[in-house]
Amino acid sequence: MHFALSEDQRVLQRTTDEICAQLFAVSPVGDARADGGALRAKLWSKLAELDLVGLLVPEHQGGAGGSLTDACVVAEALGRHIAPVPYVGTAIAAAALLRFGDGPDESLARLCRGDAYSVLLDGGLDDPAGTATVAFDWVDGALGVALSPDGRATVHDLVDVDPITDVDPLHRLARVRPVPAGEASGDGARRARAVAWTGAAALLTGLADGALRQSVDYAREREQYDRPIGSFQAVKHLCADMLFDVETSRSITYGASWAAEHAPIDEAERVASAAKAHAGAAAIRVCETGIQVLGGIGVTQEHDAHLRLRCAHLHHAAFGNSDAPLVLLAGRLLEKV
Amino acid sequence: MDLRDSPEEARFRGRLCAWLKENVPADPEPAVLAERWPYMRAFQQHLYRGGWVALSYPEEVGGQGLGPMEEAILSEELGRANAPTLLPLGHLGRPLLRYGTGEQRRRYLPPLLASDEIWCQGFSEPQAGSDLAALRTRAVREDDAWVLNGHKTWTSYGVFADFCLLLARTDPDAVRHRGISAFIVPLSAPGVTVRPIVLANGDEEFAELFLDDVRIPAENILGRPEDGWRIAMDVVNYERGAVETGYLPKFERYLSELAEFVKTRTSAPDRATLRALGEAAAALEVLRMHCLRTLSDRASGAPPGPESSIDKLLMTAVEQKLMALSLSLLTDTAVPGRAEWFDRYLYGRAGSIYGGSAQIQRNILAERLLGLPRSPA
């Protein structure tokens, strides 16, 4: 057993961080509001070009044949920079559903080349029971992926697409003509869900880490009473709490990144559930605390802090918010005793 | 990342599981410390004879010469086997291993690891709690002896202990952290008085130590004079982990007990109960993975540093979450065992105080890991 990123994964981390830092030197706000999505498109094609969109797709199906840990490294870096791309939706959740739910090979190959695929969920962003009505992490021209009632992943052209004005302008949702969809019961579908939970947890961890870094930088610079506010214990303890949340999210998320892919399905689900529930609650706490450390600027649109918090709420809500994973964990525990 | 057992680890786990199956006592762990202590100690001694204690200590001092990952496996399997609680003293061998002379390691480590001799920590004093460097206990060199005078408090398991790893000031002119040395003090020495302190839950786990002209041989200093602070920081870093203290399996057992309670009370628990159970289960998963990560980092041979404050805060958070869950489940005064759980809950309040309070841990994280400026004293 060893619990550590490989040298290649550390390079992947630096690469993704650098690309984002270059593209979003100013802020994703500009991209979300002003440039009609040019930066978003630029980043997405860069990720596809580097084979990072198809990390979860095996080589024989046209993908990069990476691991879920690799994909989590990328998702975390994208979260750190609040990157406005549908990575969790397409590269992780949809790719996992197509791969483990025996979706069409051709769709996997197209996904790797950068075509967007939206996972179809119910109105509460949960596993649909009967019909799916909402496309998660939707972009113009995306195809939909749903778990059909017979337990296989099916691809749908989206009809009657009606974009939803929801909490996160960088990761969009759209209402679509209902598609028949069932709940995850077979091993493949359950594994796909565990992978989606873990991917969301990785993005959430990155969001929290970005908030922590911003807060710490600010607390070192900003002076009140003739000293940096970071020298006051009240502020220090807020930052320490953020660090605690970030590092514990990292531990469970990277543990899940291995388990969701390699462990027997019950264990995969157990660890992934914990990752989703913990990283979701932690990211919201950390983004809220980050706003507190920033003070006034943090509650304006002149800063990204609100986008970070919005993004954290959306990804916490995705795939059954914390309820589904917690109830699953409780059920497992009660079966065991 | 690879969380699979290597072939050696898998063999180790297999042997361990087989041994636990045969050797975990069937009788329940007594609720009262006076009865629980001999029960825990007997199991720990038995575990040692089986070859499952001090896994990552070298063989020449009574260890198994294995690594941190075996320690992680042991924690996991003790939890699964519902084994008795370990004596939370696993961290006290570390300073002897790292700073002890060859003679000290030979004399003290084997019986310490075997739990044949019990050790305690003489750090805190009435005037030196969070501010440990304010300690006043003095050690003065007289010929071939050190003479100790002072007063220690909150000494865990002091009433059961044979030896104390004790911090004392050897240079009265040095500032604070400097001028402190670490000593090996036999509690049987003339001039040592041990007074038990009863915890809120009724257990005599704490003690005060009074040292009046206690003479110990010159060779009973650990490390060099003035090494005391470094040694103390090493000890607390180890103490802050859930593996060295054996808390991970203990918490696993608590969670199983609470789940059993839910199961016996109702066949269809409500959503709030399920969520609360799920929260506790998630917290334990996080703790388990975090411990694995911590131990994996340690496999490179580096002792733990300030990041152990995260482990400590996490361990405390898990314990207090479990106890909050127990209070929310055991609301009916007619429930058998309610009072015992309440005592565990009270004990859980200590988690965020001993080993450096939760506030001190936050200062460490902010200053040592995040590089925020030190607060003006």
Side-chain angles (χ1 to χ4, degrees):
Chain A
M1 285 193 288
H2 65 271
F3 191 119
L5 294 183
S6 66
E7 193 41 51
D8 285 352
Q9 283 160 345
R10 276 197 286 272
V11 170
L12 186 60
Q13 199 169 47
R14 278 197 298 275
T15 308
T16 318
D17 269 322
E18 278 162 18
I19 294 169
C20 291
Q22 279 164 9
L23 284 175
F24 308 122
V26 182
S27 132
V29 180
D31 177 66
R33 298 287 154 82
D35 78 346
L39 278 183
R40 174 198 311 248
K42 206 165 169 180
L43 174 60
W44 190 250
S45 58
K46 186 87 191 155
L47 293 172
E49 187 188 314
L50 292 170
D51 266 348
L52 303 183
V53 177
L55 278 174
L56 288 191
V57 181
E59 283 179 31
H60 69 268
Q61 290 171 297
S67 67
L68 177 56
T69 306
D70 296 339
C72 285
V73 164
V74 175
E76 189 196 330
L78 294 172
R80 223 176 341 264
H81 298 272
I82 336 176
V85 287
Y87 196 81
V88 171
T90 291
I92 295 179
L97 193 49
L98 288 166
R99 175 179 157 190
F100 296 110
D102 297 324
D105 274 0
E106 175 240 354
S107 305
L108 276 172
R110 287 182 57 186
L111 180 146
C112 296
R113 291 197 296 272
D115 286 7
Y117 284 81
S118 266
V119 174
L120 303 177
L121 303 169
D122 74 7
L125 303 186
D126 203 344
D127 266 357
T131 53
T133 53
V134 172
F136 172 74
D137 226 352
W138 170 85
V139 294
D140 268 327
L143 289 163
V145 188
L147 188 64
S148 66
D150 72 357
R152 288 173 62 95
T154 46
V155 176
H156 303 266
D157 286 323
L158 299 177
V159 187
D160 300 339
V161 177
D162 180 17
I164 300 168
T165 304
D166 195 53
V167 298
D168 180 1
L170 305 182
H171 300 86
R172 296 160 71 202
L173 307 171
R175 239 176 286 285
V176 297
R177 185 183 294 174
V179 164
E183 287 178 81
S185 56
D187 275 14
R190 287 168 62 196
R191 197 170 289 278
R193 184 178 57 179
V195 170
W197 278 344
T198 307
L203 185 101
L204 288 156
T205 302
L207 288 167
D209 188 44
L212 167 69
R213 290 173 190 216
Q214 270 178 328
S215 298
V216 170
D217 288 348
Y218 183 79
R220 280 206 204 99
E221 300 288 307
R222 166 77 175 166
E223 293 200 356
Q224 286 290 274
Y225 304 98
D226 299 324
R227 55 187 175 111
I229 61 168
S231 66
F232 291 95
Q233 280 195 356
V235 176
K236 263 187 205 178
H237 289 194
L238 292 179
C239 294
D241 285 341
M242 292 166 87
L243 175 69
F244 171 82
D245 271 332
V246 168
E247 289 302 339
T248 52
S249 292
R250 253 192 202 121
S251 298
I252 187 67
T253 297
Y254 283 96
S257 79
W258 185 86
E261 192 167 31
H262 302 288
I265 187 65
D266 282 354
E267 188 188 338
E269 270 183 332
R270 215 185 57 228
V271 185
S273 302
K276 176 64 168 50
H278 180 76
I284 290 171
R285 264 196 309 268
V286 171
C287 293
E288 288 175 347
T289 306
I291 289 174
Q292 187 66 26
V293 173
L294 290 168
I297 192 75
V299 289
T300 70
Q301 296 214 346
E302 297 187 12
H303 197 284
D304 294 348
H306 74 105
L307 289 171
R308 203 176 275 286
L309 180 58
R310 288 166 176 278
C311 187
H313 274 281
L314 181 78
H315 286 84
H316 173 65
F319 318 118
N321 63 63
S322 62
D323 218 54
L326 291 178
V327 170
L328 182 142
L329 279 167
R332 288 299 155 74
L333 187 61
L334 292 168
E335 280 165 24
K336 201 180 72 179
V337 294
Chain B
M1 292 290 302
D2 188 352
L3 304 187
R4 256 171 319 199
D5 284 347
S6 68
E8 296 79 24
E9 287 164 350
R11 275 197 298 278
F12 173 84
R13 192 189 293 270
R15 287 204 318 273
L16 172 62
C17 289
W19 189 90
L20 287 171
K21 217 181 182 111
E22 296 298 313
N23 290 278
V24 166
D27 51 329
E29 191 163 296
V32 182
L33 182 68
E35 295 155 29
R36 192 166 71 244
W37 175 266
Y39 173 95
M40 284 161 52
R41 182 173 178 178
F43 179 72
Q44 181 101 15
Q45 288 172 320
H46 189 59
L47 198 63
Y48 179 82
R49 286 191 295 272
W52 308 112
V53 176
L55 297 172
S56 58
Y57 281 74
E59 289 174 64
E60 63 268 19
V61 297
Q64 298 295 327
L66 299 166
M69 290 341 273
E70 282 81 6
E71 303 272 12
I73 292 170
L74 176 73
S75 254
E76 207 173 310
E77 295 304 335
L78 285 169
R80 283 204 187 125
N82 260 337
T85 311
L86 298 183
L87 303 182
L89 305 168
H91 55 285
L92 281 171
R94 297 288 171 187
L96 288 160
L97 182 65
R98 193 164 175 207
Y99 297 95
T101 60
E103 178 47 39
Q104 285 170 335
R105 289 163 53 143
R106 269 191 303 278
R107 159 64 189 87
Y108 296 110
L109 271 172
L112 178 149
L113 299 175
S115 304
D116 293 339
E117 288 175 348
I118 301 295
W119 282 64
C120 63
Q121 247 168 276
F123 286 20
S124 298
E125 296 182 9
Q127 274 70 38
S130 289
D131 185 9
L132 181 60
L135 63 89
R136 299 175 187 178
T137 294
R138 293 278 313 276
V140 180
R141 185 67 190 263
E142 281 183 20
D143 307 326
D144 56 356
W146 291 98
V147 180
L148 305 170
N149 276 287
H151 179 186
K152 294 287 175 182
T153 191
W154 318 139
T155 309
S156 294
Y157 305 102
V159 284
F160 304 105
D162 304 295
F163 291 94
C164 180
L165 177 69
L166 185 130
L167 299 178
R169 196 164 287 290
T170 43
D171 182 351
D173 303 323
V175 288
R176 295 177 46 79
H177 307 81
R178 301 197 187 104
I180 294 172
S181 305
F183 295 94
I184 298 166
V185 181
L187 294 185
S188 56
V192 177
T193 310
V194 180
R195 187 188 77 86
I197 299 175
V198 182
L199 293 187
N201 68 355
D203 284 347
E204 280 190 5
E205 188 179 303
F206 277 176
E208 282 185 292
L209 305 181
F210 298 90
L211 301 121
D212 298 304
D213 287 335
V214 176
R215 294 179 76 83
I216 55 170
E219 65 266 21
N220 276 34
I221 190 166
L222 182 64
R224 293 185 312 265
E226 278 77 72
D227 268 350
W229 188 256
R230 211 151 49 108
I231 293 173
M233 290 306 99
D234 242 33
V235 173
V236 295
N237 282 335
Y238 276 107
E239 186 192 7
R240 287 170 185 161
V243 169
E244 296 273 338
T245 49
Y247 277 15
L248 186 54
K250 180 165 85 166
F251 295 164
E252 299 262 10
R253 206 180 60 237
Y254 285 175
L255 182 63
S256 297
E257 284 180 34
L258 290 171
E260 268 170 42
F261 174 79
V262 170
K263 208 168 172 166
T264 53
R265 302 281 287 192
T266 168
S267 56
D270 61 23
R271 201 102 188 135
T273 302
L274 286 176
R275 271 194 71 104
L277 264 180
E279 291 267 5
L284 261 171
E285 290 289 340
V286 175
L287 179 63
R288 191 179 316 125
M289 278 300 172
H290 190 78
C291 285
L292 206 55
R293 179 179 165 199
T294 299
L295 288 168
S296 202
D297 287 346
R298 213 182 286 173
S300 60
E307 72 286 348
S308 68
S309 292
I310 296 173
D311 297 58
K312 170 70 184 173
L313 286 170
L314 180 59
M315 193 158 75
T316 304
V318 173
E319 181 173 22
Q320 294 183 347
K321 194 171 274 202
L322 279 168
M323 294 310 135
L325 173 65
S326 74
L327 293 188
S328 74
L329 292 174
L330 306 167
T331 50
D332 184 342
T333 50
V335 172
R338 183 172 132 101
E340 283 86 352
W341 272 103
F342 196 83
D343 285 338
R344 285 178 180 177
Y345 153 77
L346 283 176
Y347 188 81
R349 302 322 301 166
S352 42
I353 301 168
Y354 68 76
S357 73
Q359 287 62 42
I360 292 290
Q361 308 299 347
R362 286 178 172 88
N363 286 350
I364 293 169
L365 292 179
E367 290 172 10
R368 304 278 305 281
L369 287 183
L370 296 174
L372 289 169
R374 291 187 66 92
S375 312

